Amino acid sequence: MKQVSLKIKNVSKVFKDFKGREVRAVDDISFEVNPGEFVTLLGPSGCGKTTTLRMIAGFEKPTSGMILINDVNVVEIPPWKRDTAMVFQSYGLFPHMNVAENIAYGLKMRKVPKEEIEKRVKAILKVVGLEGFEERPPSSLSGGQQQRVALARALVVEPSVLLFDEPLSNLDVLLREQMRVEIKRIQKEVGITAIYVTHDRTEALTLSDKIVLMKGGKIEQIGTPEEIYEKPVSKFAAEFMGKINFFPIDVVEFQPDKTVVKLKNAVYEIPSVPTKRSEKYVLGCRPEGLKLSKEGPVKGIITTIVYLGNFSEYYIQTDYGEVMVKVLPPFDKNLTEGREVFIEVIPEIAKIIPES
Ligand SMILES: Nc1ncnc2c1ncn2[C@@H]1O[C@H](COP(=O)(O)OP(=O)(O)O)[C@@H](O)[C@H]1O
Ligand SMILES: [Mg+2]
């Protein structure tokens, strides 16, 4: 498999809506994808993910900026000459063709000899775990199997870049988890450069080497799943990656590798520094970064306890709004709904996040 790099440089896309007004779908974004890397474009609906992917595939032309595949600007190159392949949410299989014919289609168009086609179809069916399915019509396959055929059809032409647009959205939860693992295995096995669009943070966390988090056509943060989860640059990034509680704080002192902060009367040494300087900061604590205690800066009333077996979620009404704390067993039998409780911060995993 060819391994190529991809560079998106200051790319913007402006559409005209039905009233002729300009919509800045993608607003001056830049990021790089290394050869063989799996990069996810993550963000809420309407933030410009699909538009970005379609510009990489060549279905849309950027209003400005450059898209470089192996350092060649491909903006003027039509999609069919661009050597990318796309897997969609709707599988887009041809219903009147069997599995083998569906997969062979792109090779036929490229006038690959018959024996070669047969060999490659067989090999790729093995990769996606569908050996022996050659003769089956798509309608006889489950959603997951159809998605595998779609993936095989994209891979068989040996594209340089594999593009996915929310490919698992139509599958039920169990299949989605299964296919997530499969996609990652297959991508690593063939070593192809891949860009994956999703609004699902779990998908992004499990699949990606690198996440490009988008908001309103712009890039909010780029980083590994750990970097974005552990060191969000904003409240938006922190919240998008998972449940988090925010508390207003005063910064007492910045030190080279830690920050001293004050939350009410409690002073904490947080072993990190903010990623960005700002006028005001909040303390970000994930549910696992708080504990219930006999004392602590935040007082509240337990409103709901959700028992989840290996842990429980405690919802607590406080002066700062509802706070969620993840509690591991053994559970304190005295802490029942309606009781007053104090919340203590675990400074080691707390994050200092710019307020705006
Ligand atoms: N062809 C188009 N014409 C006008 N507006 C568009 C077009 N395609 C997308 N948009 C707008 O651009 C923005 C980004 O859309 P899209 O890239 O599809 O977002 P996402 O995939 O992240 O949900 C949205 O506001 C959308 O309505
Ligand atoms: Mg989309």
Side-chain angles (χ1 to χ4, degrees), residues 76-141:
E76 299 296 337
I77 299 176
W80 59 91
K81 288 194 182 154
R82 232 179 243 207
D83 211 13
T84 60
M86 186 115 119
V87 182
F88 302 93
Q89 177 180 340
S90 55
Y91 322 114
L93 300 178
F94 305 118
H96 57 285
M97 293 183 189
N98 67 26
V99 165
E101 289 162 345
N102 260 286
I103 298 174
Y105 184 79
L107 296 174
K108 260 191 181 152
M109 299 304 282
R110 287 169 171 78
K111 306 245 179 328
V112 175
K114 201 161 170 277
E115 303 79 62
E116 166 90 13
I117 292 184
E118 274 177 25
K119 227 171 65 190
R120 279 165 70 174
V121 169
K122 220 171 141 81
I124 207 70
L125 277 171
K126 193 168 168 198
V127 172
V128 299
L130 286 179
E131 285 167 293
F133 278 68
E134 286 86 344
E135 309 286 326
R136 299 269 294 267
S139 57
S140 74
L141 306 179

Side-chain angles (χ1 to χ4, degrees), residues 8-17 21-29 51-52 54-56 58-67 73-76 82 217:
I8 309 297
K9 273 199 178 153
N10 304 104
V11 167
S12 293
K13 178 70 186 180
V14 180
F15 289 114
K16 284 248 174 12
D17 73 3
R21 285 176 306 212
E22 289 195 342
V23 180
R24 198 162 276 274
V26 174
D27 193 0
D28 191 23
I29 65 167
T51 304
T52 304
R54 288 173 56 79
M55 288 192 284
I56 296 168
F59 302 135
E60 299 285 357
K61 196 174 158 207
T63 308
S64 58
M66 289 200 286
I67 296 171
N73 189 3
V74 296
V75 163
E76 299 296 337
R82 232 179 243 207

Side-chain angles (χ1 to χ4, degrees), residues 3-6 33-37 70 191-193:
Q3 286 205 327
V4 304
S5 69
L6 186 77
V33 184
N34 297 320
E37 201 171 30
N70 271 351
I192 192 170
T193 305

